[in-house]
Amino acid sequence: MQLPHASRRDFLKWSAGMAVAVPHIWVSPFSWAESPNERLNVAAIGVGGRGTDIGRQAAQLGNMVACADVHRLNAENFAKPYEGRCAVYKDYREILDRKDVDAVTIGTPDHWHVKISIDAMKAGKDVYCEKPLTLTIQESQLICEAVRRTGRVFQVGTQQRSEFNSMFLKAVVMARSGRLGKKLRAISSVGQATSGGPFPNSEPPEYLDWDFWLGQAPKVPFCENRIGWNFRWWFEYSGGQVTDWGVHHTDIAIWALGGEETGPVEVTPVNFEFPLGRELMLETLLGKRRWEDLPVAYNVAKTFDCDMLLPNGNVVKLLSGPNELIIEGELGRIRVNRGSLTGRPIEELTEADKKWLDEEVRKLYRGKEPGSHMRNFFECVKDRSLPISDVFTHCNAVNACHMANIAMLLNRKVKWDPQKYQFVDDEEANALTKRKQREPYTITL
C-alpha cells in the first residue's frame, strides 16, 4: 500500500482550524482538582510491566474505567486498586466499543501497538502509546495516515521529551541554537541486547490467550522466553535494543540535529553481531525461510554500530555502548542521559544564559510546562493541540532505527527518500519495510 507522506508540518496545517492556539504564557485548560464527573474516562490496554506504569499515571489524571490484557492475571492485578470501578476485559475491542471511554493507554508488546492504536482512533479515542511505536516502516506510514485522517490526539511514550528535569530539552536547545557549531554529530549510545537460547517450548498457561498474544506475528508454539520483558529480543515482536532503547536517544539526537521532519536519508552499517547469524535472519525476514524453523532463541542484533546521515549533513551514530547521548560540533561537546547534562558549554553558562535556556525550553515544549509526559497528553486532549511526542516526528525517529536494522541485515549502505517513503532503487531493502501479517490480525485503515 502506497500512502501519501504525512508530516507533522502537514498535520499542523490541516488541524489549524480545530486546535486551540497555544499562547506564549500558557494557562492550564483544566484544573487538576476536577471532580470525577469532569475528568476524562481512560482505559488501559496491555497492563504488564510498562503498561501498568503508564496506566497508573493516566489514572492519576483521569477516571480509570477499564483495562484489557490477553494475560488475565495482569488485567486482574491492574484493576485491584480501583475497587470494582475498573472493568476487566481480555479483548481490547470491548473497551473500544464503550462510548464512555475518552482515551486509552497502550502498553502491549510492539507488534500490537499500531493495530490497537488505529482501531482506537477509528473508535473516536485519543491515544497514549508506548514506544517504539511501530514494528516496521510500513506501520509508521499507516499510523501517520490514521492520525491525519481521524484528527485524534496521539502521544508516543518517549518521555525524555518531557521529563528528567528537562535535561534532554536543554540539550536540544543548545544544539539547535548554534552554540555547539554549525555541523553537528551525535552519538546515540544505548546498550546491548540480550542473547540466549535455545529455549524449550511448552503449553501456554491457562490464564494467557497465546494466539491473541501472537496477533499478526507467525504462529509458533508457546515459549516462556517470548513473553514479558523478553519479547524485545525477537524480531517477530520487536526490533531489539536498536529500536527499544535506540529510539529514546536517537529521537532526541535527530531533533537536536534538525532532522525531525524527515529522519535520515542514508544509513551505513559499521559493525554488528546477530546471535543466529545475519544471513539466516535476512532470509527469514524476506520470507525465504519459515519463522517456525528458526532456533527458539533470541535473534535480534546483540551489538550494533550504524551511521545515519540527515539531509542537512549532520550525522547520528547509533551504537550499543554505555547509556548516553553525546552531541558535538566545532564549538563544543555536551553529554546527556537520564542522570546528568554535562560538558563545557553547559558549565560556562551565565545566569543570563540559563534564563535564556529556560525560555527556549518552554518555546520548544510548545508553550506548555515540561515535567510530566502523561500530563502533556491530557492537556493536549483538553485543548486539541499537538503533543510534544507527536506521531510524525516519532515515526521519523523509529524509522531511523528500523533503517539501521535493515542496513545491518543487508550489510551495506541504504538510501532513503522521505517523500516517497521508500528506499532508493533498492528492492531488497524495500521488501524489509513490511512483514506478512497473520489473519485475522492484519492492520487496516
Side-chain angles (χ1 to χ4, degrees):
M1 179 183 296
Q2 183 63 41
L3 297 171
H5 174 62
S7 70
R8 179 180 66 91
R9 189 172 296 160
D10 294 334
F11 180 80
L12 286 169
K13 291 177 182 177
W14 174 81
S15 61
M18 297 177 12
V20 176
V22 179
H24 178 66
I25 298 177
W26 177 77
V27 179
S28 174
F30 61 108
S31 167
W32 301 115
E34 290 170 317
S35 72
N37 290 334
E38 295 172 318
R39 286 154 60 102
L40 295 173
N41 285 341
V42 295
I45 299 172
V47 288
R50 182 61 182 161
T52 287
D53 293 341
I54 61 175
R56 298 275 188 252
Q57 292 170 21
Q60 293 176 4
L61 303 174
N63 301 317
M64 181 58 65
V65 299
C67 67
D69 201 301
V70 297
H71 189 301
R72 189 185 74 244
L73 301 184
N74 284 347
E76 291 174 352
N77 288 335
F78 178 85
K80 280 180 182 177
Y82 307 108
E83 299 177 338
R85 299 187 303 275
C86 178
V88 173
Y89 301 97
K90 180 182 76 173
D91 191 330
Y92 72 92
R93 290 168 293 192
E94 295 185 74
I95 284 178
L96 302 186
D97 287 339
R98 290 180 52 157
K99 302 303 181 185
D100 62 332
V101 173
D102 301 304
V104 297
T105 63
I106 300 173
T108 64
D110 302 352
H111 67 294
W112 267 106
H113 286 172
V114 168
K115 180 168 178 56
I116 296 175
S117 294
I118 291 177
D119 288 348
M121 288 187 288
K122 287 164 67 176
K125 319 303 183 189
D126 296 313
V127 176
Y128 180 112
C129 185
E130 259 306 302
K131 44 53 60 188
L133 179 56
T134 64
L135 182 67
T136 66
I137 290 175
Q138 184 190 60
E139 286 191 0
S140 293
Q141 194 174 25
L142 290 169
I143 193 68
C144 286
E145 179 65 10
V147 173
R148 188 189 67 80
R149 288 186 186 183
T150 64
R152 305 314 305 178
V153 173
F154 198 106
Q155 175 88 300
V156 186
T158 42
Q159 70 270 28
Q160 289 181 174
R161 285 187 168 224
S162 295
E163 301 173 4
F164 307 103
N165 296 317
S166 298
M167 290 185 296
F168 291 95
L169 294 172
K170 291 177 181 178
V172 171
V173 168
M174 290 290 290
R176 293 172 72 95
S177 71
R179 291 189 174 216
L180 303 181
K182 293 183 178 180
K183 281 297 179 184
L184 301 178
R185 179 175 183 267
I187 302 173
S188 175
S189 182
V190 299
Q192 295 186 9
T194 297
S195 59
F199 304 111
N201 292 323
S202 61
E203 289 298 314
E206 57 85 20
Y207 50 77
L208 175 69
D209 186 329
W210 177 234
D211 188 77
F212 207 170
W213 188 98
L214 286 171
Q216 62 162 281
K219 178 72 171 178
V220 293
F222 175 76
C223 170
E224 187 175 2
N225 291 80
R226 290 182 184 268
I227 66 172
W229 178 263
N230 291 323
F231 82 83
R232 293 162 172 81
W233 317 130
W234 307 80
F235 262 127
E236 295 94 312
Y237 325 117
S238 179
Q241 191 80 343
V242 172
T243 60
D244 185 72
W245 242 104
V247 78
H248 276 303
H249 287 343
T250 303
D251 171 57
I252 299 297
I254 290 174
W255 195 13
L257 271 59
E260 73 277 10
E261 293 290 346
T262 62
V265 292
E266 190 174 283
V267 178
T268 304
V270 178
N271 195 17
F272 53 84
E273 175 191 355
F274 289 96
L276 300 187
R278 177 189 70 83
E279 295 86 354
L280 179 58
M281 293 316 303
L282 175 62
E283 291 181 359
T284 304
L285 284 158
L286 287 173
K288 297 177 181 179
R289 290 176 178 264
R290 302 192 313 165
W291 285 97
E292 53 266 41
D293 292 337
L294 285 178
V296 184
Y298 301 145
N299 55 40
V300 297
K302 179 182 179 181
T303 60
F304 44 91
D305 183 346
C306 292
D307 291 334
M308 305 170 175
L309 176 67
L310 302 178
N312 58 14
N314 292 335
V315 174
V316 177
K317 177 179 280 292
L318 172 61
L319 57 78
S320 51
N323 190 297
E324 62 185 9
L325 173 61
I326 294 171
I327 306 173
E328 57 189 2
E330 68 272 16
L331 301 180
R333 181 178 189 265
I334 58 175
R335 173 192 176 275
V336 62
N337 63 14
R338 296 183 178 184
S340 64
L341 171 61
T342 59
R344 182 172 295 177
I346 298 296
E347 296 161 5
E348 293 179 347
L349 291 174
T350 65
E351 290 304 314
D353 290 332
K354 292 177 182 177
K355 183 178 179 181
W356 162 83
L357 186 58
D358 288 340
E359 290 173 351
E360 291 301 313
V361 163
R362 179 180 286 270
K363 292 177 186 177
L364 186 70
Y365 205 74
R366 300 171 186 161
K368 291 182 168 64
E369 189 66 34
S372 167
H373 205 54
M374 186 62 72
R375 187 184 68 206
N376 178 257
F377 171 60
F378 272 72
E379 291 167 353
C380 291
V381 168
K382 287 287 187 174
D383 66 18
R384 310 312 295 172
S385 60
L386 195 68
I388 193 60
S389 189
D390 62 87
V391 69
F392 307 104
T393 53
H394 177 82
C395 282
N396 287 334
V398 74
N399 283 350
C401 299
H402 291 317
M403 291 176 208
N405 270 330
I406 290 170
M408 291 187 292
L409 286 162
L410 295 173
N411 195 24
R412 58 176 167 79
K413 181 190 298 184
V414 293
K415 295 183 178 182
W416 177 252
D417 184 331
Q419 294 306 314
K420 293 183 178 179
Y421 228 81
Q422 63 186 25
F423 290 102
V424 179
D425 299 326
D426 196 330
E427 291 184 9
E428 202 170 27
N430 283 319
L432 293 169
T433 63
K434 51 188 177 293
R435 304 271 185 91
K436 182 178 179 181
Q437 298 176 349
R438 190 168 65 98
E439 296 284 356
Y441 304 104
T442 54
I443 300 169
T444 56
L445 285 176

